Amino acid sequence: MGLGKSYFFIGIGGSGMMPLAMILAGRGAAVAGSDRSLDQGRVPAKFAALEALSIALYPQDGSGINSSEQIVIASAAIEPTVPDRIAAERVGARLLSRAELLSQLFNDSRVRLGVAGTSGKSTVTGMIAWILHATGHQPTVMNGAVMKNFATPDAPFASALVGGGDVFVSEVDESDGSIALYHPTIAVLNNVSHDHKSMAELRVLFGDFLARAGDAGGTTIVNADDAEALALHTARARDYSGSFSIGGTPTPLNFVADNLVEEPFAISFDLIDATMPVGRVRLQVPGRHNVANALAALMAACAVGVSLPDAMAAIEGFAGLKRRFELIGEAGGVAVIDDFGHNPDKIGATLDTLHAFPGRLLILFQPHGYGPLNVMRDELVDSLAARLASGDLLILPDPVYQGGTVTREVTSADIVADLAARGAPARYIADRADAAAMLVREAQPGDRIVVMGARDDTLSQLAADLLAALATRLLSNTHNANS
């Protein structure tokens, strides 16, 4: 799919839209698009990168859609009243969702490797991508995050990989139910927890995903440390084809990681295949959660046909993803970290990793929408209250809002009130810039500042600005001391 067709992406700068547009352009299709962030002048480097791929960009005013031969792709955030949607209907263009198009590309591939779960999808997808690329399998990869291994100065937004092999690797999304469209030959399930949908809905979606792979004679791989995932695997996968665990009891079906040694920005472990020790692996990304991610990636790569020693050697070269526990820099003894954490599991994994080492945490968490806050309120408060130490400081500005109709039933102020009632050190500061300025004023040597949140590309710039403000404060303090 792709050659000889013309595609127009409404919301082309989105984390799920941009890599899909890049894959189509890489396969020779004519690709164009629009984005409200482009019209607002936000994140210009992203759109410059798209134009460098010969992708034409238009204002989101309907001017780019003028033919019934165009296939128009609309992200979930695009309302029916957006001029591009109206233009598509006016000219009779075929309208697809992002998931509909991606699933067609995925399902048309011979080897279909889908990565599912509430948390860790992008990292596992990136790890698999790097292993398969490094071992010569030339995969095509759809990721929701920039993979550092493939990013270059000329292509800084490497969230997709276009390969000439038979393997299509993609993270698949349960938040909108579109996971139901994918038919994997290799299905990976990391974990199942409350985020965008109820647990009852998630059990059906993830269980069906595993069953489709199993019914087709494919491979299913799950995290045996996650009770929900393991229960679905036992109940829905026709053949119990693979599981992985940290410190669990090895069986003929398991990859097990043991003897974990944590470092501030790395972690190492012994790998056991069934009951046989294989060797030691050192990852360039930190945290126990990344060990679980690595086990999933190693098992998936082996299912494609990579030898385990080759997969182990390759994964040690995995450089990580942008905005996944990314160290932006240090100034005055204060480290600034940019992180995608936005749901209870992701936030919990990041805070657990940070608290494995000394130092106070100063956290700016921008919720990724009012709707998600409403759905995950209790779990989010529980996760934060359990992990914030007495010396830490959590600041919540208002949730990200980029237009459209939204119901504000639960706000950042509500979350802070819930946390305060639990004795957790949290404050509500509506304006993000004011919140960031407070963290700069509060920071002392040894602290770690963490910027957390999703669905807002400007958070990375905010982290960089925080680092610059810390450096400026340090220079000012040095100047005053010498005056």
Side-chain angles (χ1 to χ4, degrees):
M1 175 182 285
L3 292 175
K5 295 184 179 180
S6 176
Y7 297 86
F8 189 96
F9 287 75
I10 311 175
I12 195 168
S15 62
M17 297 283 272
M18 185 173 180
L20 185 51
M22 294 165 67
I23 289 172
L24 286 171
R27 290 185 170 185
V31 180
S34 67
D35 199 286
R36 62 171 56 128
S37 292
L38 174 66
D39 295 347
Q40 296 165 357
R42 302 169 70 237
V43 202
K46 171 181 285 189
F47 299 105
L50 287 169
E51 288 182 316
L53 298 174
S54 299
I55 294 174
L57 299 177
Y58 294 85
Q60 206 168 79
D61 60 5
S63 60
I65 301 174
N66 47 44
S67 170
S68 62
E69 298 300 312
Q70 289 174 289
I71 300 172
V72 177
I73 317 303
S75 75
I78 301 301
E79 302 85 4
T81 55
V82 169
D84 282 347
R85 286 284 297 266
I86 295 171
E89 293 172 2
R90 183 180 67 248
V91 302
R94 183 184 179 193
L95 191 65
L96 293 176
S97 69
R98 180 199 68 86
E100 287 171 333
L101 177 58
L102 174 58
S103 64
Q104 289 178 21
L105 296 172
F106 182 86
N107 294 336
D108 285 345
S109 302
R110 190 179 70 82
V111 180
R112 306 177 295 279
L113 204 168
V115 181
T118 311
S119 300
K121 293 189 292 291
S122 296
T123 298
V124 174
T125 300
M127 287 176 167
I128 294 169
W130 178 244
I131 294 171
L132 296 182
H133 173 81
T135 55
H137 283 74
Q138 300 181 44
T140 294
V141 181
M142 163 75 191
N143 204 334
V146 173
M147 299 175 282
K148 291 183 180 180
N149 289 95
F150 303 109
T152 66
D154 293 333
F157 295 91
S159 53
L161 189 63
V162 182
D166 295 330
V167 186
F168 196 117
V169 183
S170 180
E171 57 175 295
V172 296
D173 191 7
E174 81 287 349
S175 66
D176 60 358
S178 62
I179 187 175
L181 300 174
Y182 298 84
H183 294 269
T185 55
I186 302 170
V188 178
L189 179 58
N190 273 353
N191 41 57
V192 182
S193 62
H194 197 190
D195 192 347
H196 297 84
K197 291 187 177 295
S198 70
M199 287 301 295
E201 292 174 297
L202 291 175
R203 290 180 186 119
V204 172
L205 290 169
F206 288 131
D208 288 350
F209 174 72
L210 292 176
R212 285 193 296 276
D215 289 346
T219 300
T220 53
I221 298 167
V222 301
N223 182 356
D225 296 330
D226 186 273
E228 288 282 351
L230 185 60
L232 288 176
H233 202 210
T234 304
R236 302 300 306 278
R238 178 165 294 177
D239 294 315
Y240 195 86
S241 45
S243 62
F244 57 89
S245 173
I246 297 176
T249 302
T251 76
L253 303 171
N254 283 5
F255 274 14
V256 173
D258 204 0
N259 298 322
L260 277 63
V261 176
E262 296 194 59
E263 303 172 40
F265 291 93
I267 192 165
S268 59
F269 61 93
D270 290 334
L271 179 63
I272 301 169
D273 179 7
T275 59
M276 296 296 295
V278 179
R280 191 146 186 91
V281 177
R282 183 177 184 272
L283 304 175
Q284 296 183 46
V285 289
R288 293 174 63 87
H289 61 292
N290 275 319
V291 173
N293 291 336
L295 294 176
L298 290 167
M299 188 167 276
C302 289
V304 172
V306 180
S307 74
L308 182 53
D310 286 348
M312 291 168 62
I315 202 169
E316 291 197 340
F318 174 66
L321 307 179
K322 299 288 288 184
R323 299 218 64 234
R324 269 56 171 189
F325 207 98
E326 182 181 10
L327 177 64
I328 302 303
E330 297 185 20
V334 179
V336 177
I337 296 166
D338 188 19
D339 191 70
F340 190 66
H342 62 277
N343 66 31
D345 281 356
K346 290 183 173 72
I347 291 170
T350 295
L351 298 189
D352 287 344
T353 300
L354 286 163
H355 274 311
F357 297 91
R360 185 173 63 148
L361 304 184
L362 305 179
I363 306 162
L364 190 155
F365 168 44
Q366 177 181 272
H368 62 296
Y370 290 94
L373 273 190
N374 190 30
V375 171
M376 64 182 182
R377 178 177 184 169
D378 293 342
E379 290 89 344
L380 179 62
V381 171
D382 287 344
S383 180
L384 288 166
R387 291 176 171 86
L388 290 169
S390 59
D392 294 340
L393 174 60
L394 168 68
I395 300 180
L396 271 74
D398 285 332
V400 61
Y401 174 69
Q402 296 175 349
T405 303
V406 64
T407 301
R408 307 187 182 199
E409 295 179 7
V410 177
T411 67
S412 294
D414 294 324
I415 301 299
V416 168
D418 291 348
L419 288 167
R422 303 271 292 269
R427 300 183 193 178
Y428 166 61
I429 299 178
D431 183 75
R432 194 177 79 176
D434 292 341
M438 181 175 188
L439 291 187
V440 172
R441 291 194 300 270
E442 288 281 332
Q444 300 296 326
D447 290 347
R448 283 82 54 83
I449 291 179
V450 190
V451 174
M452 305 183 87
R455 294 184 183 171
D456 185 347
D457 292 329
T458 65
L459 286 170
S460 292
Q461 185 59 52
L462 176 68
D465 292 344
L466 275 165
L467 181 64
L470 285 168
T472 299
R473 190 190 75 170
L474 177 64
L475 286 174
S476 177
N477 290 345
T478 302
H479 175 75
N480 291 337
N482 293 332
S483 297

